[in-house]
Amino acid sequence: MVMQFRRDEAVGSSKRVDIRATGVEGNARLTSSAAVVLLILLAAEGLTLPAIHALLRPHVYIGFALIPPVALKLGSTFYRFTRYYTRAPGYREKGPPPALLRTLGPVVVLSTVLLLASGVALLFFTGSWQQRMLTVHKASFILWFAAMTVHVVAHVIETAQLAPRDWIPQQNRSLPMVAARRWIIAATVLAGALLGAWGLGHVGGWHRA
C-alpha cells in the first residue's frame, strides 16, 4: 500500500505543469507591471480632482495617458481568462481568481471603459450632449472607484511581488520574454504620453462649449 501511494504521488507530481514554462508567470508579470503604471497615473489623476477647474489640462493629459496602459492590462487579463477557459494546462494549474473578484471583474471593466470613454467624449461633444457625458463621467467614476478599491486591495500583495521581477536582474534570468515585456511596458507609457499630448490639443473646445 505504501509503495502504491508513493507511485501514485509520483505520477500526480509528474502531471503538474510548470507555470513558468507555459507563459503563465510571464502574463502575470506583464499584468502586474501594467498595474503599477496605472496606479501611478491614477494617483496623479486623483491629485487633480480637488482643483479640477484649475488643473483641467493635467487632468485631461493624464486621462488620455491612461488609455494605453488600461488597454494593455485589459488585454493581458482577457488573455488569461481565455486561456483558462480554453483549458490551457498552465492556466488551469494556476486556477481562476477568487469568486468575488470574478464577479467584480465585469464591473471593473465596464466602469473603466465607461469612465474613459465619457471623459474623451466630453472634449468633443457640445451643448446638452456634453452635459449628459459629464453626468455619465461622474456616475461612472463613483461606480469605478468602489469596484477598483476592492480590486486593488485584493491584488496589491501579488502585484508588489510580481511587478519588480522583470526589472530585477537576479529574478528574471530563467523566464523567457523578459525584454519583450519591458519593451511593451515602455511602448505603452510612450503611447500614453503621445495620446495625452494629443488630448491637450482639444481642451480648448471644452472651454468654448
mmCIF file of all heavy atoms in Angstrom, residues 54-92:
data_model
loop_
_atom_site.group_PDB
_atom_site.id
_atom_site.type_symbol
_atom_site.label_atom_id
_atom_site.label_comp_id
_atom_site.label_asym_id
_atom_site.label_seq_id
_atom_site.Cartn_x
_atom_site.Cartn_y
_atom_site.Cartn_z
ATOM 1 N N ALA A 54 -8.863 74.359 -12.104
ATOM 2 C CA ALA A 54 -7.522 74.923 -12.265
ATOM 3 C C ALA A 54 -6.553 73.920 -12.888
ATOM 4 O O ALA A 54 -5.599 74.311 -13.564
ATOM 5 C CB ALA A 54 -6.987 75.399 -10.917
ATOM 6 N N LEU A 55 -6.813 72.642 -12.662
ATOM 7 C CA LEU A 55 -5.898 71.598 -13.140
ATOM 8 C C LEU A 55 -6.531 70.765 -14.252
ATOM 9 O O LEU A 55 -6.236 69.570 -14.401
ATOM 10 C CB LEU A 55 -5.501 70.688 -11.974
ATOM 11 C CG LEU A 55 -4.744 71.362 -10.829
ATOM 12 C CD1 LEU A 55 -4.506 70.373 -9.686
ATOM 13 C CD2 LEU A 55 -3.408 71.915 -11.326
ATOM 14 N N LEU A 56 -7.393 71.394 -15.047
ATOM 15 C CA LEU A 56 -8.083 70.657 -16.099
ATOM 16 C C LEU A 56 -7.110 70.074 -17.118
ATOM 17 O O LEU A 56 -7.258 68.935 -17.553
ATOM 18 C CB LEU A 56 -9.100 71.564 -16.797
ATOM 19 C CG LEU A 56 -9.894 70.903 -17.928
ATOM 20 C CD1 LEU A 56 -10.712 69.730 -17.400
ATOM 21 C CD2 LEU A 56 -10.787 71.923 -18.633
ATOM 22 N N ARG A 57 -6.109 70.858 -17.503
ATOM 23 C CA ARG A 57 -5.177 70.373 -18.520
ATOM 24 C C ARG A 57 -4.392 69.149 -18.037
ATOM 25 O O ARG A 57 -4.302 68.151 -18.759
ATOM 26 C CB ARG A 57 -4.238 71.500 -18.960
ATOM 27 C CG ARG A 57 -4.955 72.578 -19.784
ATOM 28 C CD ARG A 57 -4.007 73.686 -20.208
ATOM 29 N NE ARG A 57 -2.987 73.200 -21.124
ATOM 30 C CZ ARG A 57 -3.163 73.062 -22.436
ATOM 31 N NH1 ARG A 57 -4.343 73.367 -22.989
ATOM 32 N NH2 ARG A 57 -2.195 72.632 -23.216
ATOM 33 N N PRO A 58 -3.801 69.161 -16.829
ATOM 34 C CA PRO A 58 -3.176 67.929 -16.337
ATOM 35 C C PRO A 58 -4.163 66.768 -16.216
ATOM 36 O O PRO A 58 -3.809 65.617 -16.503
ATOM 37 C CB PRO A 58 -2.622 68.324 -14.961
ATOM 38 C CG PRO A 58 -2.457 69.799 -15.034
ATOM 39 C CD PRO A 58 -3.549 70.297 -15.910
ATOM 40 N N HIS A 59 -5.391 67.073 -15.809
ATOM 41 C CA HIS A 59 -6.414 66.035 -15.679
ATOM 42 C C HIS A 59 -6.688 65.373 -17.028
ATOM 43 O O HIS A 59 -6.751 64.140 -17.134
ATOM 44 C CB HIS A 59 -7.699 66.653 -15.116
ATOM 45 C CG HIS A 59 -8.775 65.649 -14.850
ATOM 46 N ND1 HIS A 59 -8.810 64.872 -13.714
ATOM 47 C CD2 HIS A 59 -9.856 65.280 -15.593
ATOM 48 C CE1 HIS A 59 -9.863 64.074 -13.747
ATOM 49 N NE2 HIS A 59 -10.515 64.291 -14.880
ATOM 50 N N VAL A 60 -6.820 66.183 -18.050
ATOM 51 C CA VAL A 60 -7.073 65.658 -19.392
ATOM 52 C C VAL A 60 -5.865 64.876 -19.898
ATOM 53 O O VAL A 60 -5.999 63.784 -20.460
ATOM 54 C CB VAL A 60 -7.428 66.801 -20.360
ATOM 55 C CG1 VAL A 60 -7.428 66.319 -21.808
ATOM 56 C CG2 VAL A 60 -8.788 67.391 -19.996
ATOM 57 N N TYR A 61 -4.681 65.445 -19.698
ATOM 58 C CA TYR A 61 -3.461 64.774 -20.179
ATOM 59 C C TYR A 61 -3.332 63.382 -19.560
ATOM 60 O O TYR A 61 -3.110 62.391 -20.268
ATOM 61 C CB TYR A 61 -2.229 65.618 -19.846
ATOM 62 C CG TYR A 61 -0.941 64.990 -20.331
ATOM 63 C CD1 TYR A 61 -0.457 65.260 -21.605
ATOM 64 C CD2 TYR A 61 -0.223 64.110 -19.522
ATOM 65 C CE1 TYR A 61 0.712 64.669 -22.069
ATOM 66 C CE2 TYR A 61 0.942 63.519 -19.974
ATOM 67 C CZ TYR A 61 1.408 63.803 -21.242
ATOM 68 O OH TYR A 61 2.550 63.203 -21.703
ATOM 69 N N ILE A 62 -3.472 63.305 -18.247
ATOM 70 C CA ILE A 62 -3.324 62.019 -17.564
ATOM 71 C C ILE A 62 -4.446 61.070 -17.975
ATOM 72 O O ILE A 62 -4.218 59.861 -18.155
ATOM 73 C CB ILE A 62 -3.293 62.209 -16.041
ATOM 74 C CG1 ILE A 62 -2.082 63.063 -15.643
ATOM 75 C CG2 ILE A 62 -3.233 60.864 -15.321
ATOM 76 C CD1 ILE A 62 -2.111 63.533 -14.205
ATOM 77 N N GLY A 63 -5.655 61.601 -18.128
ATOM 78 C CA GLY A 63 -6.780 60.764 -18.539
ATOM 79 C C GLY A 63 -6.525 60.085 -19.870
ATOM 80 O O GLY A 63 -6.777 58.884 -20.034
ATOM 81 N N PHE A 64 -6.002 60.837 -20.832
ATOM 82 C CA PHE A 64 -5.668 60.245 -22.131
ATOM 83 C C PHE A 64 -4.472 59.298 -22.010
ATOM 84 O O PHE A 64 -4.431 58.250 -22.664
ATOM 85 C CB PHE A 64 -5.373 61.342 -23.150
ATOM 86 C CG PHE A 64 -6.592 61.863 -23.854
ATOM 87 C CD1 PHE A 64 -7.394 62.824 -23.259
ATOM 88 C CD2 PHE A 64 -6.951 61.386 -25.100
ATOM 89 C CE1 PHE A 64 -8.522 63.310 -23.890
ATOM 90 C CE2 PHE A 64 -8.075 61.863 -25.755
ATOM 91 C CZ PHE A 64 -8.874 62.821 -25.153
ATOM 92 N N ALA A 65 -3.503 59.655 -21.179
ATOM 93 C CA ALA A 65 -2.322 58.808 -20.996
ATOM 94 C C ALA A 65 -2.668 57.469 -20.353
ATOM 95 O O ALA A 65 -1.920 56.491 -20.492
ATOM 96 C CB ALA A 65 -1.285 59.541 -20.143
ATOM 97 N N LEU A 66 -3.796 57.411 -19.659
ATOM 98 C CA LEU A 66 -4.229 56.173 -19.026
ATOM 99 C C LEU A 66 -4.727 55.138 -20.036
ATOM 100 O O LEU A 66 -4.712 53.931 -19.755
ATOM 101 C CB LEU A 66 -5.364 56.459 -18.033
ATOM 102 C CG LEU A 66 -4.967 56.969 -16.651
ATOM 103 C CD1 LEU A 66 -6.173 57.579 -15.947
ATOM 104 C CD2 LEU A 66 -4.398 55.826 -15.815
ATOM 105 N N ILE A 67 -5.158 55.577 -21.199
ATOM 106 C CA ILE A 67 -5.841 54.674 -22.131
ATOM 107 C C ILE A 67 -4.964 53.511 -22.582
ATOM 108 O O ILE A 67 -5.398 52.344 -22.508
ATOM 109 C CB ILE A 67 -6.402 55.471 -23.329
ATOM 110 C CG1 ILE A 67 -7.504 56.425 -22.836
ATOM 111 C CG2 ILE A 67 -6.946 54.529 -24.399
ATOM 112 C CD1 ILE A 67 -8.042 57.358 -23.919
ATOM 113 N N PRO A 68 -3.714 53.732 -23.048
ATOM 114 C CA PRO A 68 -2.904 52.572 -23.460
ATOM 115 C C PRO A 68 -2.595 51.588 -22.323
ATOM 116 O O PRO A 68 -2.714 50.365 -22.530
ATOM 117 C CB PRO A 68 -1.632 53.222 -24.022
ATOM 118 C CG PRO A 68 -2.077 54.566 -24.482
ATOM 119 C CD PRO A 68 -3.065 55.005 -23.453
ATOM 120 N N PRO A 69 -2.198 52.050 -21.111
ATOM 121 C CA PRO A 69 -1.983 51.067 -20.040
ATOM 122 C C PRO A 69 -3.243 50.304 -19.658
ATOM 123 O O PRO A 69 -3.171 49.118 -19.336
ATOM 124 C CB PRO A 69 -1.477 51.923 -18.864
ATOM 125 C CG PRO A 69 -0.919 53.149 -19.488
ATOM 126 C CD PRO A 69 -1.762 53.397 -20.685
ATOM 127 N N VAL A 70 -4.388 50.988 -19.682
ATOM 128 C CA VAL A 70 -5.648 50.288 -19.399
ATOM 129 C C VAL A 70 -5.899 49.212 -20.458
ATOM 130 O O VAL A 70 -6.280 48.074 -20.141
ATOM 131 C CB VAL A 70 -6.830 51.281 -19.355
ATOM 132 C CG1 VAL A 70 -8.166 50.542 -19.421
ATOM 133 C CG2 VAL A 70 -6.769 52.111 -18.083
ATOM 134 N N ALA A 71 -5.675 49.570 -21.725
ATOM 135 C CA ALA A 71 -5.861 48.594 -22.806
ATOM 136 C C ALA A 71 -4.926 47.401 -22.644
ATOM 137 O O ALA A 71 -5.329 46.246 -22.867
ATOM 138 C CB ALA A 71 -5.633 49.268 -24.158
ATOM 139 N N LEU A 72 -3.684 47.659 -22.236
ATOM 140 C CA LEU A 72 -2.724 46.569 -22.031
ATOM 141 C C LEU A 72 -3.172 45.656 -20.900
ATOM 142 O O LEU A 72 -3.149 44.421 -21.037
ATOM 143 C CB LEU A 72 -1.340 47.150 -21.733
ATOM 144 C CG LEU A 72 -0.263 46.121 -21.370
ATOM 145 C CD1 LEU A 72 -0.040 45.134 -22.513
ATOM 146 C CD2 LEU A 72 1.044 46.823 -21.006
ATOM 147 N N LYS A 73 -3.586 46.238 -19.800
ATOM 148 C CA LYS A 73 -3.993 45.418 -18.653
ATOM 149 C C LYS A 73 -5.256 44.623 -18.967
ATOM 150 O O LYS A 73 -5.367 43.445 -18.608
ATOM 151 C CB LYS A 73 -4.208 46.282 -17.412
ATOM 152 C CG LYS A 73 -4.407 45.443 -16.143
ATOM 153 C CD LYS A 73 -4.377 46.289 -14.909
ATOM 154 C CE LYS A 73 -4.410 45.429 -13.648
ATOM 155 N NZ LYS A 73 -5.642 44.606 -13.550
ATOM 156 N N LEU A 74 -6.205 45.248 -19.642
ATOM 157 C CA LEU A 74 -7.408 44.514 -20.040
ATOM 158 C C LEU A 74 -7.047 43.381 -20.995
ATOM 159 O O LEU A 74 -7.586 42.277 -20.898
ATOM 160 C CB LEU A 74 -8.413 45.459 -20.698
ATOM 161 C CG LEU A 74 -9.092 46.490 -19.788
ATOM 162 C CD1 LEU A 74 -10.043 47.360 -20.602
ATOM 163 C CD2 LEU A 74 -9.837 45.803 -18.650
ATOM 164 N N GLY A 75 -6.123 43.662 -21.914
ATOM 165 C CA GLY A 75 -5.720 42.639 -22.866
ATOM 166 C C GLY A 75 -5.036 41.457 -22.212
ATOM 167 O O GLY A 75 -5.346 40.295 -22.509
ATOM 168 N N SER A 76 -4.109 41.729 -21.297
ATOM 169 C CA SER A 76 -3.402 40.630 -20.630
ATOM 170 C C SER A 76 -4.339 39.841 -19.722
ATOM 171 O O SER A 76 -4.232 38.616 -19.607
ATOM 172 C CB SER A 76 -2.215 41.175 -19.826
ATOM 173 O OG SER A 76 -2.651 42.034 -18.783
ATOM 174 N N THR A 77 -5.289 40.539 -19.086
ATOM 175 C CA THR A 77 -6.258 39.852 -18.227
ATOM 176 C C THR A 77 -7.205 39.000 -19.056
ATOM 177 O O THR A 77 -7.518 37.862 -18.701
ATOM 178 C CB THR A 77 -7.052 40.878 -17.403
ATOM 179 O OG1 THR A 77 -6.152 41.664 -16.619
ATOM 180 C CG2 THR A 77 -8.046 40.183 -16.481
ATOM 181 N N PHE A 78 -7.671 39.557 -20.176
ATOM 182 C CA PHE A 78 -8.570 38.800 -21.041
ATOM 183 C C PHE A 78 -7.850 37.587 -21.638
ATOM 184 O O PHE A 78 -8.455 36.535 -21.836
ATOM 185 C CB PHE A 78 -9.100 39.693 -22.158
ATOM 186 C CG PHE A 78 -10.100 39.005 -23.047
ATOM 187 C CD1 PHE A 78 -11.377 38.725 -22.588
ATOM 188 C CD2 PHE A 78 -9.770 38.637 -24.340
ATOM 189 C CE1 PHE A 78 -12.307 38.080 -23.396
ATOM 190 C CE2 PHE A 78 -10.686 37.993 -25.163
ATOM 191 C CZ PHE A 78 -11.961 37.711 -24.691
ATOM 192 N N TYR A 79 -6.556 37.728 -21.903
ATOM 193 C CA TYR A 79 -5.774 36.605 -22.424
ATOM 194 C C TYR A 79 -5.756 35.470 -21.401
ATOM 195 O O TYR A 79 -5.954 34.299 -21.753
ATOM 196 C CB TYR A 79 -4.353 37.058 -22.746
ATOM 197 C CG TYR A 79 -3.471 35.953 -23.267
ATOM 198 C CD1 TYR A 79 -3.535 35.582 -24.606
ATOM 199 C CD2 TYR A 79 -2.579 35.284 -22.431
ATOM 200 C CE1 TYR A 79 -2.722 34.553 -25.095
ATOM 201 C CE2 TYR A 79 -1.777 34.261 -22.909
ATOM 202 C CZ TYR A 79 -1.858 33.905 -24.246
ATOM 203 O OH TYR A 79 -1.062 32.891 -24.718
ATOM 204 N N ARG A 80 -5.506 35.824 -20.136
ATOM 205 C CA ARG A 80 -5.519 34.792 -19.090
ATOM 206 C C ARG A 80 -6.900 34.149 -18.991
ATOM 207 O O ARG A 80 -7.028 32.925 -18.887
ATOM 208 C CB ARG A 80 -5.137 35.399 -17.741
ATOM 209 C CG ARG A 80 -5.241 34.383 -16.598
ATOM 210 C CD ARG A 80 -5.105 35.015 -15.235
ATOM 211 N NE ARG A 80 -5.379 34.044 -14.183
ATOM 212 C CZ ARG A 80 -5.446 34.312 -12.897
ATOM 213 N NH1 ARG A 80 -5.238 35.541 -12.480
ATOM 214 N NH2 ARG A 80 -5.717 33.360 -12.020
ATOM 215 N N PHE A 81 -7.935 34.967 -19.052
ATOM 216 C CA PHE A 81 -9.318 34.476 -18.988
ATOM 217 C C PHE A 81 -9.572 33.478 -20.112
ATOM 218 O O PHE A 81 -10.111 32.378 -19.898
ATOM 219 C CB PHE A 81 -10.264 35.672 -19.090
ATOM 220 C CG PHE A 81 -11.717 35.322 -19.222
ATOM 221 C CD1 PHE A 81 -12.505 35.155 -18.097
ATOM 222 C CD2 PHE A 81 -12.309 35.184 -20.470
ATOM 223 C CE1 PHE A 81 -13.845 34.836 -18.211
ATOM 224 C CE2 PHE A 81 -13.652 34.867 -20.592
ATOM 225 C CZ PHE A 81 -14.426 34.685 -19.463
ATOM 226 N N THR A 82 -9.170 33.842 -21.336
ATOM 227 C CA THR A 82 -9.397 32.991 -22.494
ATOM 228 C C THR A 82 -8.622 31.686 -22.392
ATOM 229 O O THR A 82 -9.143 30.598 -22.669
ATOM 230 C CB THR A 82 -9.000 33.727 -23.787
ATOM 231 O OG1 THR A 82 -9.747 34.944 -23.878
ATOM 232 C CG2 THR A 82 -9.265 32.873 -25.012
ATOM 233 N N ARG A 83 -7.349 31.783 -21.986
ATOM 234 C CA ARG A 83 -6.513 30.591 -21.876
ATOM 235 C C ARG A 83 -7.040 29.640 -20.794
ATOM 236 O O ARG A 83 -6.972 28.419 -20.951
ATOM 237 C CB ARG A 83 -5.071 30.998 -21.565
ATOM 238 C CG ARG A 83 -4.410 31.798 -22.670
ATOM 239 C CD ARG A 83 -4.034 30.913 -23.835
ATOM 240 N NE ARG A 83 -2.847 30.130 -23.512
ATOM 241 C CZ ARG A 83 -2.456 29.055 -24.185
ATOM 242 N NH1 ARG A 83 -3.173 28.616 -25.195
ATOM 243 N NH2 ARG A 83 -1.347 28.420 -23.847
ATOM 244 N N TYR A 84 -7.571 30.204 -19.708
ATOM 245 C CA TYR A 84 -8.113 29.351 -18.648
ATOM 246 C C TYR A 84 -9.334 28.591 -19.145
ATOM 247 O O TYR A 84 -9.448 27.370 -18.952
ATOM 248 C CB TYR A 84 -8.468 30.184 -17.421
ATOM 249 C CG TYR A 84 -9.108 29.358 -16.322
ATOM 250 C CD1 TYR A 84 -8.334 28.600 -15.455
ATOM 251 C CD2 TYR A 84 -10.493 29.326 -16.179
ATOM 252 C CE1 TYR A 84 -8.916 27.818 -14.466
ATOM 253 C CE2 TYR A 84 -11.082 28.549 -15.186
ATOM 254 C CZ TYR A 84 -10.300 27.806 -14.335
ATOM 255 O OH TYR A 84 -10.871 27.027 -13.362
ATOM 256 N N TYR A 85 -10.253 29.300 -19.786
ATOM 257 C CA TYR A 85 -11.495 28.661 -20.205
ATOM 258 C C TYR A 85 -11.355 27.837 -21.488
ATOM 259 O O TYR A 85 -12.281 27.110 -21.843
ATOM 260 C CB TYR A 85 -12.604 29.701 -20.330
ATOM 261 C CG TYR A 85 -13.120 30.112 -18.963
ATOM 262 C CD1 TYR A 85 -12.760 31.331 -18.394
ATOM 263 C CD2 TYR A 85 -13.933 29.256 -18.231
ATOM 264 C CE1 TYR A 85 -13.206 31.694 -17.134
ATOM 265 C CE2 TYR A 85 -14.383 29.610 -16.964
ATOM 266 C CZ TYR A 85 -14.018 30.822 -16.423
ATOM 267 O OH TYR A 85 -14.459 31.165 -15.168
ATOM 268 N N THR A 86 -10.220 27.941 -22.169
ATOM 269 C CA THR A 86 -9.927 27.015 -23.263
ATOM 270 C C THR A 86 -9.057 25.865 -22.771
ATOM 271 O O THR A 86 -8.506 25.110 -23.565
ATOM 272 C CB THR A 86 -9.230 27.738 -24.434
ATOM 273 O OG1 THR A 86 -8.071 28.437 -23.966
ATOM 274 C CG2 THR A 86 -10.180 28.729 -25.092
ATOM 275 N N ARG A 87 -8.919 25.800 -21.455
ATOM 276 C CA ARG A 87 -8.288 24.672 -20.767
ATOM 277 C C ARG A 87 -6.805 24.511 -21.099
ATOM 278 O O ARG A 87 -6.291 23.394 -21.194
ATOM 279 C CB ARG A 87 -9.046 23.361 -21.061
ATOM 280 C CG ARG A 87 -10.540 23.435 -20.775
ATOM 281 C CD ARG A 87 -11.197 22.080 -20.832
ATOM 282 N NE ARG A 87 -10.793 21.249 -19.709
ATOM 283 C CZ ARG A 87 -11.345 21.305 -18.489
ATOM 284 N NH1 ARG A 87 -12.323 22.174 -18.256
ATOM 285 N NH2 ARG A 87 -10.931 20.521 -17.526
ATOM 286 N N ALA A 88 -6.101 25.627 -21.232
ATOM 287 C CA ALA A 88 -4.645 25.573 -21.370
ATOM 288 C C ALA A 88 -4.061 25.049 -20.058
ATOM 289 O O ALA A 88 -4.399 25.561 -18.978
ATOM 290 C CB ALA A 88 -4.097 26.949 -21.687
ATOM 291 N N PRO A 89 -3.191 24.032 -20.097
ATOM 292 C CA PRO A 89 -2.751 23.354 -18.859
ATOM 293 C C PRO A 89 -2.164 24.287 -17.809
ATOM 294 O O PRO A 89 -2.494 24.182 -16.627
ATOM 295 C CB PRO A 89 -1.705 22.351 -19.373
ATOM 296 C CG PRO A 89 -2.102 22.090 -20.785
ATOM 297 C CD PRO A 89 -2.644 23.384 -21.299
ATOM 298 N N GLY A 90 -1.259 25.197 -18.203
ATOM 299 C CA GLY A 90 -0.622 26.069 -17.224
ATOM 300 C C GLY A 90 -1.619 26.967 -16.518
ATOM 301 O O GLY A 90 -1.546 27.177 -15.299
ATOM 302 N N TYR A 91 -2.579 27.482 -17.269
ATOM 303 C CA TYR A 91 -3.566 28.381 -16.685
ATOM 304 C C TYR A 91 -4.581 27.618 -15.836
ATOM 305 O O TYR A 91 -5.082 28.145 -14.830
ATOM 306 C CB TYR A 91 -4.263 29.172 -17.793
ATOM 307 C CG TYR A 91 -3.344 30.188 -18.424
ATOM 308 C CD1 TYR A 91 -2.483 29.825 -19.461
ATOM 309 C CD2 TYR A 91 -3.295 31.500 -17.977
ATOM 310 C CE1 TYR A 91 -1.615 30.745 -20.036
ATOM 311 C CE2 TYR A 91 -2.435 32.425 -18.532
ATOM 312 C CZ TYR A 91 -1.590 32.037 -19.566
ATOM 313 O OH TYR A 91 -0.725 32.949 -20.112
ATOM 314 N N ARG A 92 -4.874 26.379 -16.230
ATOM 315 C CA ARG A 92 -5.737 25.552 -15.386
ATOM 316 C C ARG A 92 -5.020 25.192 -14.083
ATOM 317 O O ARG A 92 -5.643 25.114 -13.033
ATOM 318 C CB ARG A 92 -6.126 24.274 -16.134
ATOM 319 C CG ARG A 92 -6.898 24.497 -17.415
ATOM 320 C CD ARG A 92 -8.260 25.091 -17.191
ATOM 321 N NE ARG A 92 -9.167 24.196 -16.505
ATOM 322 C CZ ARG A 92 -10.466 24.451 -16.323
ATOM 323 N NH1 ARG A 92 -10.990 25.589 -16.772
ATOM 324 N NH2 ARG A 92 -11.243 23.604 -15.687
#
